[in-house]
Amino acid sequence: MTAPVDIHSPSFPTQSGDDLLVGTFRRALQETQFTNTRIPPRRMQQIVSAMARAFEAFHDKQEPASVQAHGQRLAQDGLSHQSILAAVQVVYNLSYTTDPEHQTALALAHGYTTALLEGYMQEREAQLLREQERTRRALDRARVGVV
Amino acid sequence: MTTESIIDTSRPSAGRIYDYMLGGHHNFEVDRQAAEQIIRLLPFLPKYMRLQRWCLQDLAIELTEHRGFDTIVDFASGLPTNDHIHHVVPAGTKVIYSDHDPVVVEYAREILADTPNVYFFQADARRPEELLTRPMVQEIIGDRRDVALVYWGISIFLADEEIAHAARTLYDWADPSSCWVFQAQGTDLNTGTTELNETAEIYRKMGSPIYYRSLTQMQRFIQPWHADEHQFISLLDWHGMDQREMTAEDIASFGPAAGGYGAYLIK
């Protein structure tokens, strides 16, 4: 178990850590918003808040399973891979900022992003397989209907 | 759309090209090749289609929360994924989707499964009477005509007389308190004519001709409906997009109306 990084540290003098997290995720994801085809921009506040909560929870409890579930949920919501990578970058950048020595931050960021990406990619693969099967069944039924 | 063989997966389909541009997987290599050909001509088109799709939930919220409708009939719906109307309307709202493509209908019914108060029928937006007179639709709506009607993302595929027919049919069918949410697609475009013509030719060859018009022309075809006090709104304004989130090239290509307008039409 690594020592926790203080995301509410004084290196964020103008905002609480939570505000900073939300704001940083929001700015990063704004740049990739057109890649999130199923998430209208007005829903992004909800998404970035969930990201901030998930990271804070991991910071406190270091439970990879819940981060995996968070990653799965982001995939279900339709977050693009460009956005998930932007979120990963945010986590690394924030961790560096709060831990000048980088060692603890790297461990935390690595643990978090690995679990996040595992959950996200598992769900994306499952989605693709489900959609492939739905398409096959829909084509079969539509063709039967036409005959 | 008129002659397209929609179950023929060896030929590109306008519906599946749309799905590809939205980032979906309900498309095949032949669709993706056609889509990439179109994107080379009109690079902004995927963004435009996504913006158009995002506006769907905005209109659903406006219709139910601000205008009090509890029944929405949507024509040419496409797939009812989690960015569609039924995901944001209050519980109890009846949503009737429809699409011309039988594969979309079958796929949609799987997605919706047993979602309460949400229905999906096969119907052609060119002949709205076919959907409105279906026994099951009549059973769902009953004698009520104070419903919200939606034509979003379809008008570019409709010929002038088809839009006029839809307008007249819906006008005769609907109650004075009804509302027709209409997207005037492909209007007042800012892009060079060569690219637009080549794109139209691709769609024509696949059996789904598209039509470019001015907003003034479109307003003539939808008579006697007319826009409410908000008039026709560009898609950027409709979704409340920050112009800074678009590149200068996007804005130049989308034109002043972001490639189209939306309006709440009233009688």
Side-chain angles (χ1 to χ4, degrees):
Chain A
M1 183 75 71
T2 54
V5 172
D6 184 12
I7 58 171
H8 299 280
S9 77
S11 57
F12 311 130
T14 59
Q15 295 171 292
S16 74
D18 183 59
D19 287 345
L20 179 96
L21 266 176
V22 170
T24 312
F25 277 126
R26 190 193 306 113
R27 278 190 297 281
L29 268 63
Q30 209 162 19
E31 290 173 16
T32 59
Q33 71 175 9
F34 271 106
T35 64
N36 299 314
T37 56
R38 303 290 184 211
I39 306 177
R42 63 176 175 72
R43 260 203 71 208
M44 285 314 290
Q45 183 60 32
Q46 193 185 336
I47 299 283
V48 297
S49 296
M51 284 179 167
R53 282 197 303 274
F55 184 55
E56 285 186 317
F58 185 77
H59 161 261
D60 292 340
K61 297 179 183 168
Q62 310 219 352
E63 292 173 349
S66 56
V67 181
Q68 276 186 18
H70 170 61
Q72 287 173 342
R73 180 60 199 268
L74 293 175
Q76 286 161 5
D77 284 342
L79 198 78
S80 67
H81 69 269
Q82 292 92 334
S83 290
I84 200 83
L85 290 174
V88 164
Q89 193 61 50
V90 166
V91 169
Y92 274 104
N93 289 346
L94 280 174
S95 300
Y96 288 145
T97 310
T98 53
D99 178 10
E101 296 301 315
H102 295 179
Q103 296 304 315
T104 312
L106 266 179
L108 184 81
H110 181 70
Y112 180 80
T113 55
T114 299
L116 182 75
L117 291 175
E118 273 175 1
Y120 179 83
M121 289 189 292
Q122 281 166 5
E123 179 56 26
R124 288 293 291 155
E125 189 175 345
Q127 275 178 347
L128 280 171
L129 295 176
R130 275 198 304 272
E131 288 176 13
Q132 193 179 58
E133 198 53 27
R134 272 181 179 157
T135 302
R136 183 191 64 75
R137 284 199 299 266
L139 277 167
D140 285 351
R141 284 201 305 271
R143 283 184 172 131
V144 168
V146 165
V147 172
Chain B
M1 194 160 82
T2 48
T3 58
E4 182 183 1
S5 176
I6 43 192
I7 309 184
D8 183 357
T9 53
S10 66
R11 300 176 57 206
S13 137
R16 294 195 302 264
I17 287 173
Y18 175 61
D19 177 74
Y20 174 73
M21 292 203 192
L22 286 182
H25 303 110
H26 181 58
N27 52 71
F28 304 105
E29 184 59 27
V30 67
D31 307 307
R32 296 190 281 272
Q33 285 177 0
E36 289 299 336
Q37 201 181 346
I38 294 166
I39 292 168
R40 278 195 293 276
L41 292 166
L42 301 176
F44 66 92
L45 206 54
K47 275 188 180 178
Y48 162 68
M49 287 183 174
R50 289 164 190 193
L51 175 61
Q52 172 183 290
R53 185 79 175 184
W54 292 336
C55 293
L56 269 176
Q57 292 195 340
D58 298 327
L59 71 87
I61 292 167
E62 170 69 20
L63 288 171
T64 53
E65 292 183 11
H66 302 135
R67 299 183 185 231
F69 287 100
D70 62 6
T71 305
I72 299 175
V73 182
D74 181 38
F75 292 84
S77 309
L79 292 175
T81 39
N82 62 5
D83 53 348
H84 221 307
I85 289 172
H86 71 285
H87 269 270
V88 291
V89 295
T93 306
K94 292 175 183 172
V95 180
I96 299 173
Y97 289 119
S98 60
D99 203 281
H100 180 47
D101 185 336
V103 182
V104 168
V105 175
E106 293 297 340
Y107 197 110
R109 286 178 176 163
E110 275 218 29
I111 292 175
L112 294 171
D114 297 322
T115 310
N117 297 314
V118 184
Y119 310 88
F120 208 109
F121 297 100
Q122 189 180 356
D124 191 336
R126 289 169 300 185
R127 295 182 293 279
E129 64 274 19
E130 288 180 2
L131 177 65
L132 298 172
T133 58
R134 283 179 82 111
M136 273 193 73
V137 173
Q138 289 183 331
E139 195 178 311
I140 296 162
I141 299 177
D143 295 330
R144 290 182 54 189
R145 296 293 179 267
D146 55 336
V147 305
L149 305 156
V150 180
Y151 268 57
W152 199 262
I154 183 63
S155 66
I156 199 167
F157 292 104
L158 302 180
D160 298 348
E161 63 276 14
E162 290 167 341
I163 294 174
H165 171 75
R168 172 52 68 181
T169 303
L170 297 177
Y171 193 86
D172 291 343
W173 182 87
D175 183 284
S177 60
S178 291
C179 177
W180 183 21
V181 190
F182 184 82
Q183 184 193 358
Q185 244 184 331
T187 45
D188 296 346
L189 288 171
N190 224 11
T191 313
T193 53
T194 307
E195 290 84 356
L196 285 172
N197 290 340
E198 285 184 33
T199 301
E201 184 60 13
I202 293 170
Y203 276 100
R204 190 191 64 74
K205 280 182 181 166
M206 73 175 85
S208 303
I210 57 175
Y211 305 89
Y212 307 124
R213 306 174 176 90
S214 68
L215 180 59
T216 310
Q217 287 173 312
M218 193 70 97
Q219 285 171 309
R220 201 166 60 240
F221 299 133
I222 59 172
Q223 287 176 356
W225 292 92
H226 62 277
D228 70 0
E229 70 275 16
H230 301 296
Q231 300 303 316
F232 278 83
I233 309 163
S234 87
L235 294 198
L236 283 175
D237 292 335
W238 189 288
H239 194 63
M241 287 280 294
D242 188 336
Q243 291 271 355
R244 288 172 302 180
E245 291 165 9
M246 313 280 290
T247 66
E249 191 182 10
D250 290 336
I251 293 168
S253 301
F254 279 126
Y261 301 84
Y264 295 94
L265 305 180
I266 54 175
K267 293 184 94 169

